[in-house]
Amino acid sequence: MSAETWQDVPLAPPDSIFKLTAAYKADTFPQKVNLGVGAYRDDDNKPWVLPVIKKATQILLNDPNLDHEYLPITGLPEFSAGAAKLILGADSPAIAEGRAVSVQTISGTGANHLGALFLSRFYHWDAPKQIYLSNPTWANHHAIFKNVGIQPIDYPYYDPATIGLDFDGFIGTLESAAPGSVFLLHACAHNPTGVDPTRDQWKHIAEVIVAKNHYAFFDCAYQGFASGDLNNDAWAVRYFVEKGVPMLVCQSFAKNAGLYGERIGALHIVPPTKDAADRVKSQLSVLQRSEISNPPAYGARLVSLILNDSALFDDWNRDIKTMAERIISMRNELYRLLTEELKTPGSWVHIINQIGMFSFTGINPSQSQALIDTFHIYLTANGRISMAGLNSHNIRYFAESLDKVVRGQV
């Protein structure tokens, strides 16, 4: 028998976002704009290394005791503890009662995977293994859950008619789903829509989840990055803990610390008792060991320094505010240009009502394609744009191009 040639392996399509970025890089048009990438850019369209990260890096480099030994399987303890306080709150009852289980992961993607894998193995599924995902959601969510044998199903979230939240549809699905269903919730700055529930709506969501004995799978990739306030962006997560909602939280430091390539994240599971927490941590350790042995040290040490030093933490808060405020200012300017100067047909108030890195513009796939083909403005087919890709140099060009596309002048 001949050696395996892999001829029957189907050729997979390239990732849509990375394909978009490659097309942008290959384009020689001088005014090209990349609104696809989910990474912060400064007003000169450059990646921004946070000043606090530069400061923390120098501290690490000058530490005579720094080595390159393995971290524990569940990660750097002072990082995980600091990360838990950041998302759950320093005064969280879950932390005080010793029932918050925190494990360092390969950024938010790794946290989602480890959380999904743990649920796949140990959650008491009364029906087929399924998770409810918002329609739409981060594209990678679907692949992550399918990879561990959990079937994604949609729940209504985005309402194209209002370019806002389909709250009635969302609540209706929570109420009609089988008891004990698992729902993935975006803690803040929903990706890709930028549409978040209000606090009163979050309270209603928590109430139904408790009544139906559902499980909340939080994904939090934008704490601080959404509003510029770390505590404000963690409100929903902390409220759910306070109300005793069964839950876990996936956390990423890619966006809010600008550590995209260092892959720094954490998974926090909140069981009802310390005994259950000890059992959960023991199994997370087994799962992590079989997959990555132990997580990387460098980024965790940087974030740990920042989380556990009050002066550095204050610096970080300022840096976060800088990023969030620039994005908010781009929202305000784009709204002004479209409504006041260009008088673009339609309502554009959703641009300033949405929050975080992304905005759903409300344009259709053919209009999105026209922006790419005619104006060299790269965005996803569903009309999502990264507000971080806009700046004082290109926002007018984008607004004028969008106006032409909406008016059908292409």
Side-chain angles (χ1 to χ4, degrees):
M1 186 175 176
S2 63
E4 178 58 72
T5 60
W6 310 115
Q7 289 303 303
D8 296 329
V9 176
L11 182 66
D15 180 272
S16 59
I17 296 294
F18 285 86
K19 182 182 178 184
L20 198 69
T21 302
Y24 166 78
K25 286 180 176 176
D27 193 334
T28 56
F29 185 70
Q31 282 182 279
K32 65 181 180 179
V33 180
N34 185 6
L35 301 182
V37 68
Y40 181 78
R41 296 291 180 263
D42 66 15
D43 197 53
D44 292 318
N45 198 35
K46 302 283 190 227
W48 191 52
V49 180
L50 275 60
V52 73
I53 292 295
K54 290 182 178 179
K55 202 179 280 189
T57 300
Q58 285 306 311
I59 293 170
L60 272 187
L61 289 175
N62 293 316
D63 182 354
N65 298 313
L66 185 68
D67 57 41
H68 298 284
E69 294 296 296
Y70 292 123
L71 292 184
I73 294 169
T74 54
L76 188 69
E78 51 269 43
F79 161 77
S80 300
K85 287 177 185 173
L86 186 76
I87 185 66
L88 301 178
D91 57 352
S92 172
I95 294 174
E97 294 158 18
R99 54 186 182 85
V101 180
S102 300
V103 175
Q104 183 188 333
T105 60
I106 307 293
S107 203
T109 305
N112 273 269
H113 169 70
L114 186 59
L117 183 60
F118 178 79
L119 289 190
S120 178
R121 296 280 180 89
F122 297 106
Y123 189 69
H124 287 148
W125 303 93
D126 292 330
K129 295 180 182 180
Q130 295 177 328
I131 185 165
Y132 284 86
L133 304 179
S134 64
N135 181 19
T137 190
W138 179 45
N140 216 16
H141 279 146
H142 289 267
I144 287 168
F145 288 99
K146 284 177 183 173
N147 280 350
V148 297
I150 299 176
Q151 188 59 35
I153 45 180
D154 288 345
Y155 65 82
Y157 190 85
Y158 174 73
D159 181 0
T162 62
I163 317 184
L165 180 63
D166 180 3
F167 186 64
D168 291 342
F170 185 0
I171 290 294
T173 305
L174 283 169
E175 290 175 336
S176 63
S181 294
V182 182
F183 278 78
L184 189 143
L185 309 171
H186 296 232
C188 65
H190 183 272
N191 177 8
T193 68
V195 175
D196 284 358
T198 64
R199 288 193 178 183
D200 283 343
Q201 288 172 330
W202 274 123
K203 288 177 182 178
H204 193 177
I205 292 164
E207 187 180 307
V208 178
I209 288 177
V210 169
K212 293 284 294 190
N213 199 33
H214 293 327
Y215 193 86
F217 190 116
F218 270 108
D219 191 2
C220 185
Y222 299 96
Q223 186 184 357
F225 201 95
S227 67
D229 184 323
L230 288 159
N231 291 318
N232 183 67
D233 293 347
W235 187 88
V237 168
R238 295 175 187 179
Y239 181 80
F240 274 51
V241 173
E242 180 191 324
K243 293 299 174 185
V245 178
M247 60 183 283
L248 63 76
V249 190
C250 302
Q251 183 182 29
S252 167
F253 289 90
K255 270 75 174 180
N256 59 15
L259 292 172
Y260 304 96
E262 304 306 335
R263 315 310 294 139
I264 306 305
L267 171 67
H268 309 280
I269 299 183
V270 185
T273 65
K274 187 181 184 307
D275 175 66
D278 292 341
R279 294 170 187 272
V280 168
K281 187 155 192 176
S282 72
Q283 291 296 341
L284 288 174
S285 182
V286 170
L287 294 175
Q288 179 113 306
R289 173 71 169 136
S290 70
E291 298 214 325
I292 64 169
S293 280
N294 33 45
Y298 171 65
R301 287 188 173 130
L302 286 178
V303 175
S304 180
L305 277 173
I306 293 164
L307 293 176
N308 295 296
D309 181 291
S310 59
L312 290 176
F313 189 76
D314 287 345
D315 287 348
W316 186 39
N317 272 281
R318 280 193 291 274
D319 292 346
I320 285 172
K321 207 167 180 59
T322 297
M323 292 188 288
E325 287 181 350
R326 195 187 85 72
I327 285 178
I328 291 166
S329 74
M330 289 297 101
R331 288 186 180 278
N332 291 334
E333 178 61 6
L334 180 58
Y335 177 71
R336 188 192 69 78
L337 286 167
L338 293 173
T339 58
E340 294 178 21
E341 285 202 28
L342 299 169
K343 298 193 169 20
T344 306
S347 170
W348 297 96
V349 72
H350 55 277
I351 297 289
I352 52 175
N353 286 343
Q354 295 168 0
I355 192 169
M357 182 175 285
F358 299 112
S359 179
F360 247 37
T361 57
I363 63 174
N364 62 43
S366 62
Q367 290 171 321
S368 297
Q369 196 60 47
L371 282 171
I372 296 171
D373 295 343
T374 307
F375 300 104
H376 307 263
I377 294 169
Y378 291 82
L379 71 162
T380 52
N382 58 13
R384 184 198 81 167
I385 60 171
S386 172
M387 298 305 298
L390 293 176
N391 55 60
S392 62
H393 312 292
N394 66 19
I395 192 165
R396 180 173 291 275
Y397 174 71
F398 171 67
E400 290 172 350
S401 303
L402 179 60
D403 178 75
K404 290 188 177 81
V405 165
V406 169
R407 293 178 189 274
Q409 295 175 352
V410 289

